Amino acid sequence: MRRSGVVLATAAIATGVAAYAVWSAAEAQEAQGARGKYLVQLAGCTDCHTPGYFLGKPDMARYLGGSDVGFELPDLGIFVGPNLTPDNGTGLGSWTSDEIMTAIQTGVRPDGRILSPIMPWRAYAGLTKSDAAAIVAFLRSLPPVTNKVPGPLGLNENATVFRMKILPPDQATQRN
């Protein structure tokens, strides 16, 4: 009888430890997602990646689902902030976590293409691995939005979106 009591107590402790581990993992994942949301908001990702943001009416139903405004950069073309949601066809759904972190911190996509210079990846290069992972966790937690943005568009291609022309510093100061 005493042995069965020890076995039952051991089983109860093991069950409690396993339940605590699951609860702790879920709690840790929730905390990581909250940290990622905070960092995404602080970094201003919404600005370039949410439709309507630059037109004064952000479409929060398509939060981070890709912009409807392009940035025209001299001698480079027009770039539209892409869909950052986990949609497989038009977003980051087919990218691995490491591929997303690499793009955020080095400006290099999985296909080897360099991100537009308007993407401030150099500012994000110093993120800790933990912070970059938190951003990825948050992006993966978003509802997928199917929204294929145009581009990047070359110098002679027409934009199908509203575009903002970015002037070189020497031209911008002449206008002031």
Side-chain angles (χ1 to χ4, degrees):
M1 188 70 161
R2 186 172 200 169
R3 183 173 184 180
S4 63
V6 170
V7 170
L8 286 174
T10 303
I13 290 170
T15 301
V17 167
Y20 176 76
V22 169
W23 179 77
S24 293
E27 187 176 73
Q29 187 175 12
E30 185 177 319
Q32 185 182 40
R35 174 82 177 154
K37 180 178 182 179
Y38 166 76
L39 292 167
V40 162
Q41 290 172 333
L42 184 65
C45 301
T46 303
D47 303 4
C48 295
H49 295 278
T50 299
Y53 182 85
F54 287 117
L55 302 175
K57 294 183 180 182
D59 182 354
M60 298 312 281
R62 297 188 298 157
Y63 179 65
L64 297 176
S67 187
D68 49 4
V69 172
F71 292 96
E72 183 179 349
L73 300 175
D75 301 323
L76 292 176
I78 301 169
F79 301 88
V80 181
N83 183 343
L84 300 182
T85 72
D87 182 69
N88 284 326
T90 65
L92 300 177
S94 63
W95 293 29
T96 67
S97 295
D98 285 340
E99 289 170 337
I100 297 169
M101 286 177 26
T102 296
I104 291 170
Q105 294 189 281
T106 69
V108 179
R109 294 170 38 101
D111 61 8
R113 196 179 87 213
I114 304 299
L115 297 177
S116 158
I118 204 75
M119 167 61 180
W121 66 263
R122 287 170 187 83
Y124 307 147
L127 286 170
T128 64
K129 186 171 184 164
S130 175
D131 282 346
I135 291 170
V136 171
F138 173 65
L139 294 176
R140 293 214 180 279
S141 75
L142 296 171
V145 173
T146 301
N147 182 31
K148 174 81 171 125
V149 301
L153 304 168
L155 295 173
N156 298 319
E157 294 181 74
N158 289 325
T160 57
V161 296
F162 179 82
R163 63 184 183 189
M164 292 192 288
K165 189 169 190 167
I166 308 298
L167 297 173
D170 60 329
Q171 289 179 17
T173 56
Q174 291 173 5
R175 290 190 163 207
N176 290 338

